[in-house]
Amino acid sequence: MGVKEKIINFGYKVLNSRYFSRLFSSYRVTWELAGLTKSTARDAVLRGVKNEEEFWLSGKEVAERLKEFINENSIVLDVGCGMGRVEKWLASYCKEIHGVDVSGRMISFARKNIKAENAFFHRNNGRDLSIFPDNKFDFVFSLLTLQHLEKEDAYIYIKEIYRVLKPGGRAYLQFPNFLSDEVFKWFVDYAERGSRHIARVRGYTVPEVEKMMNSIGSKDLEIKVEGDDIIAIWKK
């Protein structure tokens, strides 16, 4: 491992330490630091991938799942787009695709990586979707993002997703399954290390997800448990 990689790894350990979490309790600061380099940004978006090719191909797999919810006239929003991992593959199936992220670094990487003319990337305020008007999108999805927010903040985003969807528009939201062994292991690890890092993964249960989705007025709610994930699909 070279000097640069050692410095990056040390910085990432500091970023996830209990002391850093108390000093910097900001979503934006956390994700800007995570996006210092392309490699740290990839690792922050999707842990466990071996190389850049595997990272981008994982986005293709997601796009294959999501394309059934859209058509060539759809206007699509990705809440927490990161480096544009999914936009790279999904853009060709819709009229427009918009990605938002709290990190300017992530947005910069996305704009460099994704050259599709119908793909647009926006840095938002990390609190809501106020940069968009009501009833704009046909489909909104969020993957590996709401889990990094305090649940109260995630709920605000869910309400905002409802607001920006067109009547009849659909949402596809992913949450970690607290009852899975893997997600519960993360919870125990945070507890035992005393970590309250602002970007730590928060697990959810099906009743929690169902309660939140019903409270905003969603229709035709379908909740799937897929191993470590809970998927909520619904209409406005």
Side-chain angles (χ1 to χ4, degrees), residues 155-194:
Y155 181 69
I156 294 300
Y157 265 110
I158 293 165
K159 290 182 69 175
E160 282 285 272
I161 288 169
Y162 183 89
R163 178 184 66 80
V164 302
L165 273 172
K166 295 177 182 178
R170 303 185 76 181
Y172 184 106
L173 308 180
Q174 172 268 339
F175 303 87
N177 177 14
F178 182 74
L179 299 183
S180 78
D181 291 342
E182 184 68 14
V183 176
F184 186 73
K185 183 173 71 175
W186 299 339
F187 169 77
V188 172
D189 182 58
Y190 295 140
E192 292 180 345
R193 287 192 294 114

Side-chain angles (χ1 to χ4, degrees), residues 124-232:
N124 73 331
N125 60 19
R127 298 186 301 274
D128 54 42
L129 300 173
S130 56
I131 57 175
F132 300 116
D134 297 355
N135 309 317
K136 178 176 176 64
F137 297 101
D138 299 287
F139 179 61
V140 179
F141 67 95
S142 185
L143 308 171
L144 306 176
T145 296
L146 298 174
Q147 65 189 38
H148 292 297
L149 304 175
E150 296 288 5
K151 289 186 178 181
E152 294 84 353
D153 295 330
Y155 181 69
I156 294 300
Y157 265 110
I158 293 165
K159 290 182 69 175
E160 282 285 272
I161 288 169
Y162 183 89
R163 178 184 66 80
V164 302
L165 273 172
K166 295 177 182 178
R170 303 185 76 181
Y172 184 106
L173 308 180
Q174 172 268 339
F175 303 87
N177 177 14
F178 182 74
L179 299 183
S180 78
D181 291 342
E182 184 68 14
V183 176
F184 186 73
K185 183 173 71 175
W186 299 339
F187 169 77
V188 172
D189 182 58
Y190 295 140
E192 292 180 345
R193 287 192 294 114
S195 173
R196 300 299 181 269
H197 190 277
I198 195 167
R200 70 189 184 279
V201 173
R202 283 82 165 171
Y204 287 75
T205 63
V206 168
E208 283 181 291
V209 173
E210 184 177 22
K211 182 73 172 180
M212 288 192 291
M213 300 307 122
N214 286 335
S215 75
I216 64 170
S218 66
K219 299 177 181 177
D220 300 337
L221 175 62
E222 178 184 3
I223 296 178
K224 301 178 180 179
V225 177
E226 299 179 351
D228 295 334
D229 294 322
I230 297 172
I231 305 296

Side-chain angles (χ1 to χ4, degrees), residues 97-108:
I97 186 163
H98 295 256
V100 299
D101 203 282
V102 71
S103 167
R105 294 285 300 172
M106 293 290 186
I107 292 298
S108 177

